[in-house]
Amino acid sequence: PSTAAVRMASLNTLGMAVELEPEPEGGEEIAAVDDTLPGSRAKNMGEVDDVSSEDGTVYKFWLTAEADGAKIKEYRTTILKDAAKKANFPGFRKGQVPPYAQPQITGFAVQEGLVKTVESAVSAYGLKALPGSDGEVTVNEEVKDICQGYKVGDSIPFTAYFNAVFDPEQAPAAEDVAEAEEVTADSE
């Protein structure tokens, strides 16, 4: 997509834009194994040298997707209810969440929505997440900038990097695809 299309896609209903990071050069686009994340795209950016997994070769992936606004709204409602149960802010009745805490609650909900979307992408693209910090997700846009103009219920386009391995149960491993291409080339 053109840069203008990406900028337009990142406009929320308030007209405030969070510019998406441009798509990185190189890498190989991978196909989704199911349609749980329509409109998303993922690229295999190559092997990760300093991370290993017993499940296979670890690759770095780039993703562009949209976090579902309805899900973010659900997360916000849940977080707000939990905060109200535990809330004990000076100057406010027990169980009352003050207005100044609302942006933080929205921020937590947005973060949760982004993380859950990446988790969905991992399975949608036939990948397997890595445990602990090896599977850490890096959202390229500043979450606090996204939250500033965010209207509850809006979907949020974003880009991210994450490490994962190909799940042999869901998709052919990259090595198998490369070998199959070599065999096809040799037989011609």
Side-chain angles (χ1 to χ4, degrees):
S2 71
T3 307
V6 170
R7 283 191 185 126
M8 290 302 291
S10 64
L11 286 174
N12 66 26
T13 56
L14 295 177
M16 300 179 83
V18 174
E19 191 170 329
L20 297 181
E21 287 291 316
E23 181 176 333
E25 295 293 322
E28 183 179 324
E29 191 145 350
I30 59 174
V33 295
D34 66 36
D35 58 356
T36 55
L37 275 179
S40 68
R41 293 179 47 232
K43 288 173 88 173
N44 179 346
M45 301 307 293
E47 287 185 36
V48 178
D49 295 330
D50 55 343
V51 180
S52 62
S53 171
E54 56 194 39
D55 293 322
T57 307
V58 177
Y59 296 94
K60 181 176 187 173
F61 294 91
W62 172 84
L63 170 74
T64 182
E66 194 169 276
D68 182 26
K71 293 247 192 251
I72 295 171
K73 189 175 183 176
E74 277 179 40
Y75 300 140
R76 189 178 186 290
T77 301
T78 303
I79 293 167
L80 193 56
K81 284 180 183 175
D82 289 347
K85 286 179 192 171
K86 300 172 189 165
N88 192 9
F89 293 93
F92 290 87
R93 278 181 282 165
K94 188 167 174 56
Q96 195 73 28
V97 178
Y100 64 81
Q102 298 293 333
Q104 262 187 316
I105 289 170
T106 299
F108 293 142
V110 166
Q111 281 181 311
E112 185 70 10
L114 298 175
V115 168
K116 294 292 186 191
T117 302
V118 173
E119 288 174 1
S120 295
V122 167
S123 63
Y125 285 94
L127 305 173
K128 201 171 187 181
L130 299 176
S133 63
D134 290 343
E136 187 174 293
V137 174
T138 304
V139 175
N140 298 325
E141 292 72 34
E142 287 290 328
V143 174
K144 104 180 144 157
D145 292 344
I146 292 171
C147 292
Q148 277 185 332
Y150 181 68
K151 181 180 171 204
V152 176
D154 285 351
S155 293
I156 300 174
F158 69 99
T159 61
Y161 284 103
F162 62 94
N163 295 337
V165 297
F166 284 98
D167 187 345
E169 294 174 14
Q170 291 193 27
E175 297 89 18
D176 296 342
V177 172
E179 288 172 17
E181 288 171 359
E182 286 175 24
V183 170
T184 306
D186 292 343
S187 62
E188 291 177 355

